Amino acid sequence: MTTNLYPIYRRETRALFLSPVAWIVLFAFYSLAGFFWVAPLSQYAFYSVMMAERGQVMKLVDYLIAPFLGNVTVTFIFLLPLVSMRQFSEEKKSGTIETLFTYPFSDLDIVLGKWLAAVTLLGVMLLPLLMDFGLIADKVAVPWPVVATGMAGVFMVGACYLAVGLFTSALTENQVVAAALSFGALLLLFVLNWLAASASGSLHDLIGQLSITTHMQDLTKGLLALKDVTYFILFTAFMLFCTLRVLESKKWR
């Protein structure tokens, strides 16, 4: 850990939570997450009674937990670019990025501090979702290890998306352009799995392994695989590395 990371992290976290965008994102996220929770929960409650009368059991993981967490990651595509769009774009537009370079912070301090601040907001977004599962715990047996693994997977997806957004924010001083670039990149990563279906052979396998959808499907079901965790760690590290290179190139122009 770099020595001057905390001042950047504290500065960025404060600026993020004082901005109206963060609260708009939180409101939109909880509204959408509430809908995505109530809709499958109502269906689960209805059909589980019917199946119970037939002596069958609906699996909570397949019919509620996995669909809910999968839908949460879809909301990230639309909302997280709004979180990351300002992080470098605003600094460049206002001219404060040059001032920031004069402080005793390394480029790595700046990149990690900004990313961790956004990840903190992500954590604030996700933690209250655990209450949804707690509210039904007295009615059904909630598989908490599965929920924990699924939430960890969703968190890794979000952290990965924020790294992509940080990179696009470093490319331009226009926040709208940064958000649009991030949205386009995340959408592409999401639909790669569909494109893989039209390919064959080694190309099918390659495209499928590059898709975020491929690696998050098992995680939302509580299945923890080393290849999936490795994918998210390496992809996030790669995007942060690219952001660092962009920052360094613009610093010396």
Side-chain angles (χ1 to χ4, degrees), residues 87-197:
Q87 292 190 288
F88 279 113
S89 298
E90 186 178 35
E91 298 261 23
K92 293 163 69 175
K93 186 175 182 178
S94 63
T96 56
I97 190 69
E98 285 80 10
T99 305
L100 191 61
F101 284 148
T102 64
Y103 293 147
F105 303 130
S106 68
D107 293 341
L108 184 60
D109 290 327
I110 298 172
V111 170
L112 287 180
K114 287 178 175 290
W115 177 70
L116 288 174
V119 168
T120 299
L121 178 61
L122 174 65
V124 172
M125 292 169 63
L126 292 179
L127 275 177
L129 300 187
L130 293 173
M131 292 188 297
D132 292 335
F133 299 101
L135 291 174
I136 65 170
D138 62 333
K139 305 294 183 182
V140 295
V142 177
W144 287 108
V146 174
V147 172
T149 302
M151 290 293 290
V154 171
F155 181 81
M156 285 189 288
V157 172
C160 181
Y161 285 178
L162 288 171
V164 174
L166 192 67
F167 171 69
T168 60
S169 181
L171 295 175
T172 176
E173 65 179 28
N174 189 308
Q175 295 187 38
V176 176
V177 172
L181 289 174
S182 179
F183 170 75
L186 298 183
L187 187 61
L188 177 61
L189 289 170
F190 187 81
V191 302
L192 274 179
N193 200 38
W194 301 345
L195 298 178

